[in-house]
Amino acid sequence: MTQAPAARRPSRRRHDREIIALAVPAFGALVAEPLFVMVDSAIVGHLGTPQLAGLAIAAALLTTAVSIFVFLAYATTAAVARRVGAGDLASAIRQGMDGIWLALIIGVAVVALTLPLAPWLVDAFGASDTAAPYASTYLRISSLGIPAMLIVLAATGVLRGLQNTRTPLYVAIGGFAVNGALNLVLVYGAGLGIAGSAWGTVIAQVAMALVYLIVVVRGARRHGASLRPDLAGIRASAQAGIPLLVRTLSLRAVLLIATAVAARLGDTDIAAHQIILSLWSLAAFALDAIAIAGQAIIGRYLGASDTEGAREACRRMIQWGIASGVALGLLIVLARPLFVPLFTGDTDVQNALLPALLVVALSQPICGVVFVLDGVLMGAGDGRYLASAMLLTLAVFAPFALLVPSLGGGLTALWWAMTLMMGVRLMTLWLRMRSGRWIVTGATR
């Protein structure tokens, strides 16, 4: 029987308190990640358009190198939260330690590949002769921080699963402050240019990883969880993350295709695209705060076999996603005269990005629901469906985006293709949510 509105209010207030308690700190931690790139963009942008174009390409490659392994956070959050719901804290933290060891192994391997391949990767993106040297310099130096960032992802997953989003917030604020200060000192004070920006980011990333390790190790000792690497556990963590890896690779392919298309439109358009992508990523991370709350809350409810609680939380978070998307869209439109000059004084770049920015603003309510449903299904451990849905989305998006230059479309047309991509994601995720097939209870899926 359906609950009457009056009977639902106490439950709704309870879910609101849970969402706010987890999402607000998660918001601060999440927006700090794109702010790293935004700070670099703002500082490097005033060195010149070729430098900003080089940063755009290097940042896209680096973000890909890190974020394709975001399953280290997402899968760990869901697995740890389920065990928390089942009342097994020692097993929950042990699961997280396996993820941290896996992160270190992957990070070292990625650096070993990136350093020698940096010039080839930059050329593959179609970088101009003026932008390519800056892109290669930034990419090689910043790749040294990849192991630290992957450790941050895994450790963040542990804490989120334990329903703790405050510690990641504090670490993110500290890392952002250090990154901004070091960038200013090394780029302008020491005169290192774009290389100084890269070194400042690497130092901040390593410091963040060390803080996370201290927090997780203390928690492991307090609950009697082993700190030693367990090959079987590491292998299990890797296998559980494969569907989310496929999902993330498909999403990154979308963003890489968009950047590659923008690069072929010229230095002005790729520079404008970098600014828009930074703002889009900031909005995405802000909306993802509710999704992070969803991962932790849904995982805990399913671990405790509370299916009705999981359904109610899902419905409430969708409402939050819509409202947040509308608010962000309005903020982008109203604040654009204030933040655009912060990134570039080039009027050609400004003129190229303004109409595309309006498209981004219109798409934010769609993004709000997509990110919430993504988080709900991740919290349920429904990785296989997420992988299939994202592969379908890539198949729809790619031809539309690749046709933009040949049909004479510009940056605005490219961002309409990005909005189409989010619409396909909305359709696939909504159908899964309505089916109820994501609801599987117990300490493990």
Side-chain angles (χ1 to χ4, degrees):
M1 181 180 294
T2 304
Q3 288 179 306
R8 286 200 300 265
R9 286 194 195 103
S11 176
R12 180 178 296 179
R13 286 197 293 268
R14 185 181 71 250
H15 289 309
D16 285 347
R17 287 194 297 269
E18 283 188 318
I19 293 168
I20 292 170
L22 291 171
V24 172
F27 169 78
L30 287 167
V31 298
E33 295 182 41
L35 282 174
F36 271 79
V37 178
M38 289 183 69
V39 166
D40 290 358
S41 298
I43 293 174
V44 171
H46 290 286
L47 293 175
T49 298
Q51 288 90 334
L52 182 59
L55 173 64
I57 294 169
L61 289 165
L62 285 164
T63 303
T64 299
V66 173
S67 63
I68 60 174
F69 301 111
V70 75
F71 72 83
L72 292 166
Y74 292 161
T76 302
T77 298
V80 171
R82 276 184 177 268
R83 287 163 174 78
V84 169
D88 190 353
L89 288 177
S91 176
I93 296 178
R94 174 66 261 180
Q95 180 83 18
M97 288 304 305
D98 292 335
I100 290 174
W101 281 109
L102 177 62
L104 179 60
I105 294 169
I106 293 173
V108 171
V110 172
V111 173
L113 289 172
T114 304
L115 287 175
L117 293 178
W120 180 85
L121 291 169
V122 169
D123 289 341
F125 256 71
S128 67
D129 291 339
T130 55
Y134 298 111
S136 295
T137 296
Y138 192 92
L139 179 60
R140 278 183 163 148
I141 296 172
S142 292
S143 68
L144 299 176
I146 290 175
M149 288 310 297
L150 296 190
I151 290 173
V152 167
L153 286 177
T156 300
V158 178
L159 296 180
R160 288 173 181 167
L162 294 170
Q163 318 294 295
N164 175 5
T165 56
R166 289 184 178 273
T167 299
L169 170 62
Y170 300 146
V171 176
I173 291 173
F176 173 69
V178 171
N179 178 60
L182 286 174
N183 268 258
L184 288 172
V185 170
L186 295 177
V187 172
Y188 297 118
L192 296 180
I194 197 169
S197 177
W199 279 117
T201 301
V202 169
I203 294 169
Q205 290 167 342
V206 171
M208 291 172 67
L210 290 174
V211 173
Y212 270 114
L213 287 175
I214 291 171
V215 172
V216 174
V217 167
R218 285 178 177 173
R221 288 176 174 168
R222 184 165 58 251
H223 293 285
S226 174
L227 296 172
R228 290 178 295 181
D230 175 45
L231 293 180
I234 294 172
R235 190 181 305 113
S237 294
Q239 290 172 345
I242 288 174
L244 290 180
L245 176 61
V246 173
R247 171 257 181 203
T248 305
L249 283 171
S250 302
L251 178 57
R252 294 311 308 177
V254 166
L255 300 179
L256 287 171
I257 288 170
T259 300
V261 170
R264 282 161 175 77
L265 295 174
D267 280 2
T268 296
D269 279 346
I270 183 60
H273 176 76
Q274 168 61 16
I275 295 171
I276 296 172
L277 189 60
S278 296
L279 292 166
W280 186 83
S281 298
L282 177 60
F285 276 102
L287 293 170
D288 210 24
I290 305 171
I292 294 302
Q295 291 176 32
I297 292 170
I298 296 297
R300 193 188 75 240
Y301 275 126
L302 294 179
S305 299
D306 185 354
T307 59
E308 186 56 32
R311 288 182 185 275
E312 289 180 359
C314 175
R315 287 192 291 267
R316 190 57 177 157
M317 283 184 285
I318 289 173
Q319 294 171 357
W320 276 73
I322 294 171
S324 299
V326 171
L328 277 173
L330 291 173
L331 181 61
I332 289 172
V333 171
L334 296 175
R336 71 186 189 280
L338 300 176
F339 60 72
V340 168
L342 296 176
F343 291 98
T344 179
D346 190 322
T347 55
D348 290 336
V349 174
Q350 291 181 2
N351 291 334
L353 69 85
L354 286 176
L357 202 58
L358 293 177
V359 176
V360 172
L362 288 172
S363 70
Q364 290 310 297
I366 296 174
C367 295
V369 179
V370 167
F371 284 112
V372 165
L373 293 178
D374 216 29
V376 167
L377 297 184
M378 284 183 187
D382 202 12
R384 289 186 179 182
Y385 182 82
L386 288 170
S388 300
M390 200 60 226
L391 284 171
L392 173 62
T393 301
L394 173 60
V396 174
F397 167 78
F400 279 93
L402 294 173
L403 283 172
V404 167
S406 60
L407 294 178
L411 194 63
T412 302
L414 176 60
W415 277 94
W416 274 119
M418 290 286 287
T419 301
L420 170 67
M421 178 270 296
M422 293 303 294
V424 175
R425 291 187 71 190
L426 175 62
M427 178 190 69
T428 56
L429 297 178
W430 184 266
L431 289 174
R432 185 63 166 183
M433 185 274 294
R434 295 287 294 176
S435 74
R437 295 178 182 175
W438 54 277
I439 299 177
V440 179
T441 60
T444 57
R445 182 179 173 88

